[in-house]
Amino acid sequence: MPGPGRAALDGLDPRLPLHARLREVLVARVESGEWTPARPLPAETALAEYYEVALGTMRRVLGELVEQGLLERRHGSGTFVRRAKLDSSLFRFFRYGDPRSGTPAGRILSFDRAALPATAAEALGEPPGAASLHLHRLRLRDDEPVLVEDIWLPLPRFAVLADHHQDDLGDLLYPAYERHCGIVVASAEEILTVGTANAGDALLLRCRRSDPVVFIERTARTHDGTAVEWRRSVGRAADFRYRIEIR
Amino acid sequence: MPGPGRAALDGLDPRLPLHARLREVLVARVESGEWTPARPLPAETALAEYYEVALGTMRRVLGELVEQGLLERRHGSGTFVRRAKLDSSLFRFFRYGDPRSGTPAGRILSFDRAALPATAAEALGEPPGAASLHLHRLRLRDDEPVLVEDIWLPLPRFAVLADHHQDDLGDLLYPAYERHCGIVVASAEEILTVGTANAGDALLLRCRRSDPVVFIERTARTHDGTAVEWRRSVGRAADFRYRIEIR
DNA sequence: AAGTGGTCTAGACCACTCC
DNA sequence: GAGTGGTCTAGACCACTTC
């Protein structure tokens, strides 16, 4: 099977290095569902011949996709699409409190279509008022309210989520994005500030209005840097504890 | 300069692949302080010849160390030990006016020998009460107080600093550690909490007692993970803005 | 112009898994 | 034994930084 060779890379920016274009087409094939965890991908030698690239180049790309968590390689048996591990991304971006104590849970209060507010739109690189899904959620630890979250997901990228009931999403959103939309969150930026609670937050957090609270604004991105989620979380300042490693 | 060739890898488990052993010796050379961020490492071609390995193998190892955050490569200029930019980065997070305007400065209030308090001792892996240098400092922007800092440096590691006058240290401490003690800070852990100002902090920060403030406790480490500095910074919560990238 | 890292190729050989 | 990924080599050529 000779394959289309480099013609398969034609639609992409030719200024990009070969390995970058190759990565895009492989990611697209994984996200299309053409390859599933059930069976191995074609062998690296077959893929290299198919796209008419050197084996080393193909291996470099496959290695990057393994690093990114998209693929998994098993010596002697093949290269596989990695099944989403529901616990791996669990605490990855959850820095509030001690991860070891208690089990965090999410109670979704509302889940609707909404126009993007200005701050969310700017972070997501969308025009203000663009269509989105808006998720309002309360996070608890040991039945104690810990964080109130407002999450915006731009449409149409997350359109298939709109057809799901909120109970299908589960406590963990990032695995749901991956499962239903093929979107893998790879990095995030967070900005922390301190302010005072408004009436709605105070009620949910069981604190007084004007009590000090912490705001955490997060922009989550895919591997290629595209912003795919913006959220604003509010928690009581008294309970606040945020731990971060800097390298 | 022919170099020792593979003899340099002799002490290591020969069952390990070449790249793994190579990686260990390069990490050791970085941790020994032989290479510093000031000057580039030998070129990849020179290193490959020195250890008598193929260029591709050397490039693979260097790439892994970049991935790990130990090294940094600059196309056209060389490969460098990566230094953490903590001093400059932390200060940028405090929005006292425009971050670009004005020059952040540090005014050292006191600089003395002191016994390590319990929290600092635990973070540094030293016995409580061990000998240390204690630095009390006020950080300002545009002559406005922004942060009060207490910094502990374990002795005898930092002994040569004790002989310097506080004015020799300058505004940036990490370069001073590097210059005077050969200590390169490579990573840090920070824990942020919110509380209320005590009398001394309130006076220095020009706020009321019981005003909300943010505490930042930082443990700074060298490349090999040894904790070399512990500091506690206090700033008014109203001015607080902390930005972090998570990967 | 010289020196650095970045890309890409081509091929040999080894180690592991599965039938 | 056949097929898979893992290791390692050797070398050409390009792009960027510095002087």
Side-chain angles (χ1 to χ4, degrees):
Chain A
M1 190 183 326
R6 303 228 176 148
L9 312 177
D10 272 354
L12 300 161
D13 189 338
R15 293 170 302 182
L16 288 175
L18 182 54
H19 65 82
R21 283 173 283 163
L22 200 50
R23 189 170 70 221
E24 287 190 42
V25 301
L26 293 186
V27 167
R29 290 183 76 171
V30 170
E31 289 181 350
S32 76
E34 175 185 356
W35 294 324
T36 71
R39 285 177 309 140
L41 272 58
E44 57 182 20
T45 50
L47 285 171
E49 281 175 19
Y50 182 87
Y51 287 108
E52 292 173 6
V53 301
L55 185 58
T57 304
M58 182 56 71
R59 280 187 57 76
R60 168 180 177 162
V61 173
L62 293 172
E64 287 170 353
L65 296 182
V66 167
E67 188 70 25
Q68 183 191 325
L70 195 66
L71 300 179
E72 186 176 359
R73 311 198 80 181
R74 296 179 213 147
H75 193 171
S77 54
T79 304
F80 298 79
V81 175
R82 209 198 68 177
R83 305 201 137 70
K85 288 178 187 166
L86 293 176
D87 58 335
S88 68
S89 43
L90 211 172
F91 292 112
R92 201 163 157 216
F93 299 104
F94 191 75
R95 306 290 164 130
Y96 192 108
D98 186 342
R100 291 179 300 264
S101 76
T103 308
R107 182 187 301 160
I108 294 176
L109 305 175
S110 72
F111 181 36
D112 295 290
R113 281 173 198 272
L116 278 181
T119 44
E122 190 184 4
L124 292 168
E126 300 271 346
S132 72
L133 295 177
H134 172 223
L135 212 149
H136 191 49
R137 182 167 77 153
L138 185 60
R139 301 199 74 163
L140 310 111
R141 186 188 297 285
D142 300 331
D143 290 324
E144 277 292 309
V146 175
L147 279 180
V148 177
E149 292 185 319
D150 283 281
I151 300 170
W152 281 272
L153 306 171
L155 291 170
R157 186 186 286 269
F158 284 91
V160 301
L161 273 194
D163 302 330
H164 285 74
H165 189 263
Q166 58 188 55
D167 297 340
D168 291 355
L169 297 179
D171 287 346
L172 306 176
L173 293 181
Y174 291 168
Y177 300 165
E178 204 172 323
R179 200 165 54 243
H180 299 306
C181 313
I183 293 172
V184 178
V185 171
S187 70
E189 173 192 340
E190 293 193 338
I191 296 176
L192 281 67
T193 53
V194 179
T196 53
N198 66 24
D201 296 335
L203 195 65
L204 288 167
L205 293 172
R206 297 182 197 159
C207 66
R208 288 189 303 259
R209 268 199 72 169
S210 82
D211 269 2
V213 292
V214 173
F215 297 102
I216 306 173
E217 296 180 352
R218 176 192 295 172
T219 305
R221 301 176 188 280
T222 57
H223 184 258
D224 66 358
T226 309
V228 290
E229 181 209 71
W230 189 80
R231 64 169 71 186
R232 182 184 171 102
S233 308
V234 185
R236 286 190 302 251
D239 304 329
F240 174 71
R241 181 187 167 87
Y242 185 91
R243 183 181 165 283
I244 194 77
E245 299 271 355
I246 304 171
R247 260 167 307 209
Chain B
M1 191 179 327
R6 303 228 176 148
L9 312 177
D10 271 354
L12 300 160
D13 189 338
R15 292 169 304 181
L16 287 174
L18 182 54
H19 65 82
R21 284 173 284 163
L22 199 51
R23 188 182 141 121
E24 286 190 41
V25 301
L26 293 186
V27 168
R29 290 183 75 172
V30 170
E31 289 179 352
S32 77
E34 174 185 355
W35 294 323
T36 71
R39 284 178 310 140
L41 271 59
E44 56 183 19
T45 50
L47 285 172
E49 280 175 20
Y50 183 87
Y51 287 108
E52 292 172 7
V53 301
L55 186 57
T57 304
M58 183 55 71
R59 279 187 58 76
R60 168 180 176 162
V61 173
L62 293 173
E64 287 170 355
L65 297 181
V66 167
E67 189 71 23
Q68 184 191 317
L70 193 68
L71 300 180
E72 185 177 0
R73 311 198 81 181
R74 296 181 212 144
H75 193 171
S77 54
T79 305
F80 298 79
V81 174
R82 204 180 128 193
R83 80 170 19 104
K85 298 158 194 163
L86 304 174
D87 255 322
S88 57
S89 61
L90 171 64
F91 209 79
R92 266 206 318 271
F93 303 142
F94 280 75
R95 56 168 181 202
Y96 220 107
D98 189 335
R100 292 176 300 264
S101 80
T103 310
R107 183 186 301 159
I108 294 176
L109 304 175
S110 73
F111 181 35
D112 295 291
R113 280 172 200 272
L116 279 180
T119 43
E122 189 184 4
L124 291 168
E126 299 271 345
S132 73
L133 294 177
H134 172 224
L135 212 149
H136 191 48
R137 183 167 76 153
L138 184 62
R139 302 197 73 168
L140 310 108
R141 183 189 293 286
D142 300 331
D143 291 323
E144 279 290 311
V146 175
L147 275 184
V148 177
E149 291 185 320
D150 284 282
I151 300 170
W152 281 271
L153 306 170
L155 291 170
R157 188 187 284 269
F158 284 92
V160 301
L161 273 194
D163 302 330
H164 285 75
H165 188 264
Q166 58 187 54
D167 296 340
D168 290 356
L169 297 179
D171 287 344
L172 302 176
L173 293 180
Y174 293 164
Y177 300 165
E178 198 175 325
R179 201 164 53 243
H180 299 305
C181 313
I183 293 172
V184 178
V185 171
S187 70
E189 174 193 346
E190 292 193 338
I191 296 175
L192 281 67
T193 53
V194 178
T196 53
N198 66 24
D201 296 335
L203 195 65
L204 288 168
L205 292 171
R206 296 183 197 159
C207 66
R208 287 190 303 260
R209 266 200 73 169
S210 81
D211 268 1
V213 293
V214 173
F215 297 103
I216 305 172
E217 295 179 352
R218 178 193 293 174
T219 305
R221 301 175 188 279
T222 57
H223 280 300
D224 66 357
T226 310
V228 290
E229 182 209 73
W230 189 81
R231 63 168 73 184
R232 183 183 171 101
S233 308
V234 185
R236 286 192 299 252
D239 304 321
F240 174 72
R241 179 187 173 86
Y242 185 89
R243 181 182 167 282
I244 194 77
E245 298 271 354
I246 305 170
R247 263 164 303 215

